[in-house]
Amino acid sequence: MAADPRPTRLGPQQAAPAQPMPTTRLSAWEIVQLARHPQRPKAPEFIEHLIVDFTELHGDRLFRDDPALLAGFGWFEGQPVAVIGPYKGRDTKENLAHNFGMPNPEGYRKALRVMKLAEKFGRPVLSFIDTPAAYPGDDAEERGQAQAIAQNIAEMSALRVPIVVVITGEGGSGGALAMGVGDVVLMLENAIYTVIPPEGCAAILWRDAGRAQEAAEALRLTARDLRGLGIIDEIITEPEGGAQTDPDAAMLAAREAVGRHLGALAALPVETLLERRYQKYRIIGRQVERLSRAR
Amino acid sequence: MAPWLRKPNISASQRREMPAGLWAKCPRCKNLIYQKELERNLQVCPKCGYHHRLSAAVRIAITVDEGSFTEFDAGLTSVDPLGFSGYPEKLEEARRRTGRAEAAITGTGAVDGFRAVLVVLDFFFMGGSMGSVVGEKVTRAAESARQQRLPLITFSASGGARMQEGALSLMQLAKTSAAAARLHAEGLPFISVMSDPTTGGVTASFAFLGDVVVAEPGALIGFAGRRVIEQTIGRRLPEAFQTAEFCLEHGLIDMITPRDQLRAQLSRLLRFFGAPRAEVEATA
């Protein structure tokens, strides 16, 4: 047995890394910082490491090619897959070129075009999510940001091929959900997924963006919280201190989880797959039935 | 230029439902209007055409054929799933103020003789925000339309997803959109009516998934908030930004229909799409 306690990498028989006992539990706000860490591996790096011969496809055929979103085909562990993911840059120059990974409507429409190709050719879809939000610009509104998101959500709910979603960093509200409806939703341990950024929530509810830490706790946006609420299916373990301390370890854990789920989903008949996907979202929510008042 | 093309600058407090007094002040033209006259005019200002916001109950009353409405799920009630500070109090206040359990009323009714399933959001209940209960009611309504082979008509008035239920609210976008997609797959008509305001997560889900999207004049319709956009782009936006008229010009909606013509418009569309008339169904 190896003395090195860290899991060996790239071994062909590599099993899932054992869940390390968390030494300290991070606060929601600390996790927000890790999810946004500049050195954190981003969706393009996950694609680069997990996908062989990634071939990018461009454009929505309607307006332009959105540099904030990557979409194309490639091979995952010997299987052809469609891949989508926002392009958050590694530095300011890249971020400016790719709009900080905030897609415009044409980005979501490009992603949809590639997902429909995946459906046509019977290839599963792999979606890596790390976006602060759909781009809040005037031109994005003019071109129908809301409509683009709504359409992707609706189409993904009924796409006739398996969809595996991995939230790797920031899952920013509708802008993330527009790439995030799937049969299995995985989430890295220090990723976040939220209906509104904590700063925005604090500004609206308490008129004080400075109370973002409080909002981060209240929103229950960590992987652990969301697992408890039934919103995500599985947490992908990160190395101690966050994925940026050992990106390869994070990639390896993601590869294992994605491979396992893709394999299981491939065995399902398409009608079963679709019904399961519908029911997965159908049951999300918390409410009580009271006897309605007599009228 | 039609009078509704200019968006009035109305503060939140002015946007409240008209007080129960004899006279109401129009938030746009500032004229005093006899309350009874405003009611007769479907809460549209007779002087300037401003479309006042409607409670869900009033919307149903002016939309469906008299006595035809049967409500679904009136007892579906929100809980505080995240333990979000202040949420139970806000819910209680909204219940007290509106006399309703939640921000949506759903049910079946006839519109000019066409039976349909209706969803009406109530902006006066926590800004018409969609949390678990609103999402569940919309979804059940869409499923009911599917089971009964009826058209679905939604009337939106909402600030978007309800923050206090966090990602549970976000998931209601997926739940309602999936239900709408199933209606489309089965060839059932779905007409979405957007009233002032329809924004955020409601636009990014079922409200923009209608076969036909109809808006009321002057309605605010958009995804991101004006302030967020202004901060992002670093300049002020024109007054008419994100109005129904702006959306029509940019090809995002099908038509703008003044309130007094809405019933006729819905009836015309349902006839085009082959929806069954109530009388026909009764004799079938």
Side-chain angles (χ1 to χ4, degrees), chain A residues 105-149:
Chain A
E106 55 271 22
Y108 294 116
R109 290 175 183 136
K110 170 169 68 177
L112 180 58
R113 192 172 73 80
V114 169
M115 289 191 280
K116 296 303 272 186
L117 285 179
E119 184 177 57
K120 176 174 175 181
F121 298 112
R123 303 310 192 207
V125 174
L126 194 43
S127 175
F128 295 97
I129 295 182
D130 183 12
T131 180
Y135 183 59
D138 53 344
D139 42 1
E141 294 287 323
E142 284 177 6
R143 294 196 292 277
Q145 188 70 287
Q147 187 276 337
I149 294 171

Side-chain angles (χ1 to χ4, degrees), chain A:
Chain A
M1 198 169 182
D4 187 349
R6 291 195 322 183
T8 49
R9 264 168 253 148
L10 308 173
Q13 77 296 343
Q14 184 68 56
Q19 299 265 348
M21 293 309 277
T23 44
T24 48
R25 173 126 9 142
L26 300 174
S27 72
W29 185 245
E30 286 169 324
I31 290 174
V32 169
Q33 303 313 310
L34 280 179
R36 295 170 175 172
H37 197 289
Q39 263 83 54
R40 187 177 178 81
K42 317 230 166 23
E45 287 147 272
F46 277 88
I47 294 173
E48 193 180 310
H49 282 77
L50 267 58
I51 304 298
V52 174
D53 197 24
F54 176 63
T55 304
E56 192 179 354
L57 302 180
H58 291 278
D60 66 343
R61 299 296 186 271
L62 297 164
F63 182 68
R64 68 158 196 162
D65 184 43
D66 188 348
L69 191 141
L70 281 165
F73 283 83
W75 299 81
F76 175 83
E77 313 236 298
Q79 182 187 6
V81 292
V83 186
I84 58 175
Y87 201 122
K88 233 196 214 180
R90 277 161 293 199
D91 52 42
T92 308
K93 192 169 158 242
E94 266 192 19
N95 265 325
L96 288 171
H98 298 281
N99 202 32
F100 297 82
M102 293 188 284
N104 270 283
E106 55 271 22
Y108 294 116
R109 290 175 183 136
K110 170 169 68 177
L112 180 58
R113 192 172 73 80
V114 169
M115 289 191 280
K116 296 303 272 186
L117 285 179
E119 184 177 57
K120 176 174 175 181
F121 298 112
R123 303 310 192 207
V125 174
L126 194 43
S127 175
F128 295 97
I129 295 182
D130 183 12
T131 180
Y135 183 59
D138 53 344
D139 42 1
E141 294 287 323
E142 284 177 6
R143 294 196 292 277
Q145 188 70 287
Q147 187 276 337
I149 294 171
Q151 186 170 7
N152 274 27
I153 294 172
E155 297 267 6
M156 289 182 90
S157 76
L159 201 78
R160 300 176 67 82
V161 289
I163 304 173
V164 172
V165 176
V166 187
I167 301 161
T168 68
E170 283 184 278
S173 196
L177 188 62
M179 305 175 265
V181 178
D183 300 296
V184 173
V185 180
L186 311 172
M187 189 163 170
L188 267 75
E189 194 179 353
N190 297 311
I192 59 170
Y193 195 11
T194 181
V195 69
I196 184 167
E199 293 84 354
C201 177
I204 292 172
L205 278 188
W206 306 310
R207 302 187 192 287
D208 180 6
R211 289 172 72 181
Q213 301 199 16
E214 213 175 310
E217 292 290 344
L219 285 165
R220 306 270 182 255
L221 43 64
T222 69
R224 202 186 304 263
D225 289 327
L226 297 170
R227 179 74 192 84
L229 291 167
I231 289 171
I232 62 154
D233 299 291
E234 189 177 314
I235 300 173
I236 298 174
T237 309
E238 290 185 30
E240 184 78 42
Q244 80 287 351
T245 63
D246 188 354
D248 286 353
M251 303 280 178
L252 189 73
R255 176 191 296 274
E256 184 283 323
V258 169
R260 179 161 38 81
H261 286 290
L262 272 183
L265 293 170
L268 297 176
V270 65
E271 295 309 326
T272 309
L273 183 79
L274 293 180
E275 185 57 26
R276 272 182 36 154
R277 193 185 303 156
Y278 187 82
Q279 292 304 333
K280 172 180 165 60
Y281 290 94
R282 182 68 189 82
I283 61 169
I284 299 180
R286 296 281 194 282
Q287 63 262 331
V288 290
E289 301 255 19
R290 296 220 176 109
L291 286 178
S292 44
R293 282 161 286 194
R295 289 155 71 71

